[in-house]
Amino acid sequence: MGVDVNTAKKAIEEGKTYLGIEFGSTRIKAVLIDENHEPIASGGYGWENQYVNKIWTYDMADVWKGLEECYADLVRDVQEKYHTTIETFGAIGISAMMHGYLPFDKEDNLLVPFRTWRNTITEQAAAKLTDLFRYNIPQRWSIAHLYQAILNGEEHLPRVDYITTLAGYVHWKLTGQKVLGIDDASGMFPIDPETKDFHNGMLAQFDELVSEKNFSWKIKDILPKVLTAGAAAGVLTDEGAKLLDVSGHLKAGIPLCPPEGDGGTGMTATNSVAVGTGNVSAGTSIFAMLVTGKELSKVYTEIDMVTTPAGDLVAMAHANNCTSDLNAWVNIFKEFAESFGLEVDMSKLFSTLYNKALEGETDCGGLLSYGYLSGENMLELDEGRPLFMRLPDARFNLANFMRANLYAALGALKVGMDILMKDEGVKVDQIQGHGGLFKTKGVGQRMMAACMNAPVTVMETAGEGGAWGIALLAAYMERKSEGETLAEYLNEKVFSGQQGSTMDPVAEDVDGFEKYMVRFKSGLNVERAAVEYMN
């Protein structure tokens, strides 16, 4: 995907580019695209969550420092490549990790530290709401956090004036608008697919449930306004422009698309928004999203029902842990090499170790790993304890070790996918893969094909991820034709010429993964014991 320097420079100077910024778990990323939807510049900023008082959180000061630094990095990239300065864009989009709890008072003060998607502290609330609504409410959803705070009797509740997600918060501060894209909103409170809004019946049920508390607020009053893809979601204010660009070059008045969650941007970035499509995002966390367009036959606590950015129903299997423990093991090998005075190229190290896994036995030769740094809802684990085990007669070698850790990254997801594909009979012709797990060509993709027992495609643009996805949503808002759906726009104007590599499942891998999962499930009590006894 070659980009002509002079053409790109002209587009930047004429404001015919689209900016997407996504707050990921470990990186804030900015991607600038041109009118052909091709990335022409990028910026980034690394950050990490903290575990404070048994809560996974991010400091809000880091949100703004990260935004500022990420944008400044983009500006530097534009200056180096095109020798020009950014003053405006065609449109901007903000995306972030879905779910979690950010409550504010009337003076816009944050009432408690940000409680992220990674927390598993709302089991009681999630179970009660699931039973009340007859609709699965996962622990990480905003409504579960709010109701758990009510059950805990937390003192901040009477002062709540507004709750939102991280993307909604950043968008609000940039535009003054308390809105949210429908996919991100579907991780706050259940969506009615007919009205494309929060479910009125369930809103009333919740108000009735907490009526004896006599709060001054009703639930709908403190939630954001729900918007579908393509809707106008406000413009960049003077204050917002200064938050984004401290140099002062960026002008106010730029339109913003509805802020979205990383689920919605992942669907967009992989062209998986039409019914019958699916995608899997594999990074710090891992989730697969299959666009069903309808409810499942019954409620499964392992499966979330969310939506595409256009509002179609999606069945999502979500696991809190994926590559973190895998990355930690790779770093151990880095330390080992450096202790011999060897210089280590991390890309080569990842590639070497991942490819070594392909030499391993398909069932990992009797090795077993649980890479859980945090709790895992699908496996009923309140907390995580990274754990590696092997049978006395196991074939303990590097190939089996790496394969076992790659399988472990997919283990919890496999539980959810088996429900959708085996129990519910959800048919998906092809899964689009994106995220860090797929960076080493052909390895994560092959393991995922074995996990899903379905073809897995990785597009050339998969590395751009959610920041590119939200930039596409910004472009769609500004450039769509009358009546043009998001699926039509993506098919015809973004992905029509895109090339991707598709890998079919290998029968021996599928069989080996199934055998590994028998061992994986039988060993879960050991993981639970580790949580109980290793404090």
Side-chain angles (χ1 to χ4, degrees):
M1 293 190 298
V3 175
D4 179 74
V5 172
N6 291 327
T7 302
K9 180 180 179 180
K10 186 181 179 189
I12 291 165
E13 291 174 345
E14 292 179 355
K16 293 179 180 177
T17 58
Y18 303 89
L19 173 65
I21 298 178
E22 180 157 283
F23 289 76
S25 303
T26 59
R27 187 167 178 77
I28 304 170
K29 185 173 182 179
V31 168
L32 187 65
I33 64 172
D34 62 15
E35 289 182 295
N36 296 317
H37 309 100
E38 293 202 13
I40 57 173
S42 63
Y45 177 79
W47 71 336
E48 281 288 351
N49 55 190
Q50 298 96 40
Y51 194 52
V52 182
N53 298 323
K54 294 198 170 183
I55 299 287
W56 289 103
T57 189
Y58 293 85
D59 191 311
M60 289 298 103
D62 288 343
V63 170
W64 300 112
K65 180 186 178 188
L67 181 67
E68 176 187 321
E69 294 286 349
C70 176
Y71 184 80
D73 194 39
L74 173 80
V75 168
R76 281 191 292 273
D77 193 38
V78 166
Q79 187 63 48
E80 286 171 12
K81 286 177 176 172
Y82 310 111
H83 308 291
T84 192
T85 301
I86 300 169
E87 292 189 352
T88 190
F89 303 102
I92 299 171
I94 300 295
S95 170
M97 302 166 277
M98 290 176 72
H99 318 299
Y101 185 60
L102 280 163
F104 297 88
D105 66 15
K106 281 181 165 47
E107 284 73 48
D108 300 344
N109 299 306
L110 183 62
L111 295 170
V112 297
F114 177 28
R115 297 171 184 174
T116 78
W117 59 270
R118 197 171 196 170
N119 289 287
T120 48
I121 56 174
T122 66
E123 182 179 9
Q124 183 186 9
K128 285 193 172 187
L129 291 174
T130 296
D131 185 55
L132 175 70
F133 295 154
R134 296 184 181 176
Y135 194 96
N136 184 38
I137 305 297
Q139 286 203 49
R140 63 189 172 277
W141 280 23
S142 306
I143 193 62
H145 279 282
L146 175 64
Y147 187 47
Q148 190 65 53
I150 292 171
L151 293 175
N152 295 345
E154 297 187 32
E155 61 85 24
H156 72 275
L157 292 162
R159 292 181 286 139
V160 172
D161 184 65
Y162 181 53
I163 63 172
T164 190
T165 64
L166 181 57
Y169 168 62
V170 174
H171 181 96
W172 169 33
K173 293 301 176 184
L174 295 180
T175 65
Q177 299 297 311
K178 293 181 175 180
V179 299
L180 199 59
I182 192 167
D183 169 65
D184 206 3
S186 70
M188 294 192 77
F189 195 93
I191 292 289
D192 182 340
E194 296 300 318
T195 64
K196 304 283 194 285
D197 202 348
F198 294 122
H199 196 289
N200 270 325
M202 295 181 196
L203 291 168
Q205 284 178 297
F206 184 84
D207 284 333
E208 177 62 27
L209 179 66
V210 302
S211 60
E212 64 181 27
K213 300 293 182 182
N214 294 314
F215 295 128
S216 60
W217 47 264
K218 299 290 186 187
I219 183 62
K220 187 167 177 74
D221 299 335
I222 63 172
L223 290 170
K225 181 182 178 183
V226 179
L227 298 175
T228 54
V235 299
L236 189 68
T237 63
D238 288 330
E239 296 78 9
K242 288 169 189 165
L243 284 171
L244 198 52
D245 181 13
V246 294
S247 74
H249 288 104
L250 190 63
K251 295 175 180 175
I254 302 165
L256 272 79
C257 70
E260 267 298 3
D262 50 1
T265 58
M267 284 184 264
T268 304
T270 55
N271 195 21
S272 304
V273 301
V275 173
T277 60
N279 82 95
V280 61
S281 173
T284 304
S285 65
I286 183 167
F287 51 88
M289 312 187 82
L290 308 184
V291 187
T292 61
K294 62 180 182 180
E295 301 282 2
L296 301 179
S297 66
K298 63 179 184 178
V299 174
Y300 296 92
T301 56
E302 299 90 346
I303 304 297
D304 304 11
M305 295 305 294
V306 291
T307 78
T308 69
D312 290 309
L313 278 176
V314 176
M316 177 167 78
H318 181 287
N320 290 343
N321 301 270
C322 184
T323 58
S324 295
D325 192 53
L326 189 56
N327 294 345
W329 282 114
V330 173
N331 280 320
I332 287 289
F333 288 107
K334 173 177 178 280
E335 283 189 44
F336 171 77
E338 288 175 342
S339 69
F340 280 88
L342 302 173
E343 220 173 285
V344 179
D345 179 300
M346 287 305 289
S347 294
K348 188 175 181 182
L349 180 60
F350 268 101
S351 178
T352 300
L353 290 173
Y354 274 39
N355 276 287
K356 193 72 180 174
L358 298 180
E359 300 172 20
E361 297 170 64
T362 59
D363 70 344
C364 306
L367 309 187
L368 183 59
S369 179
Y370 297 103
Y372 301 139
L373 272 70
S374 64
E376 199 56 80
N377 302 333
M378 271 201 289
L379 304 177
E380 299 180 353
L381 292 168
D382 292 335
E383 295 181 41
R385 298 290 185 275
L387 182 65
F388 177 79
M389 294 183 285
R390 60 189 172 107
L391 296 168
D393 61 346
R395 274 78 69 200
F396 188 33
N397 55 46
L398 182 58
N400 282 342
F401 178 78
M402 287 308 301
R403 194 171 189 119
N405 280 291
L406 279 162
Y407 277 13
L410 308 179
L413 178 74
K414 172 73 170 162
V415 172
M417 292 311 297
D418 282 352
I419 290 170
L420 291 174
M421 291 182 158
K422 294 179 181 178
D423 300 345
E424 283 288 320
V426 175
K427 297 281 188 273
V428 179
D429 298 329
Q430 193 167 276
I431 302 286
Q432 299 280 356
H434 64 113
L437 186 73
F438 300 105
K439 281 185 180 176
T440 298
K441 189 169 182 174
V443 181
Q445 188 176 5
R446 179 167 165 178
M447 301 300 167
M448 189 65 73
C451 172
M452 300 278 196
N453 194 16
V456 174
T457 299
V458 177
M459 306 293 288
E460 289 176 0
T461 50
E464 299 298 344
W468 184 58
I470 192 66
L472 294 179
L473 288 171
Y476 171 66
M477 176 190 72
E478 281 298 287
R479 304 185 62 208
K480 67 183 184 302
S481 305
E482 180 84 28
E484 186 176 29
T485 67
L486 178 60
E488 290 167 345
Y489 185 88
L490 294 176
N491 272 328
E492 296 163 19
K493 296 180 178 173
V494 180
F495 290 96
S496 58
Q498 288 275 343
Q499 295 298 310
S501 68
T502 300
M503 189 170 285
D504 291 320
V506 177
E508 293 82 1
D509 289 346
V510 174
D511 182 60
F513 207 122
E514 291 289 348
K515 289 175 179 173
Y516 177 85
M517 285 303 294
V518 172
R519 191 184 315 129
F520 178 90
K521 290 175 183 176
S522 65
L524 279 170
N525 282 333
V526 183
E527 173 71 7
R528 293 185 182 108
V531 172
E532 183 178 353
Y533 293 109
M534 283 189 66
N535 291 309

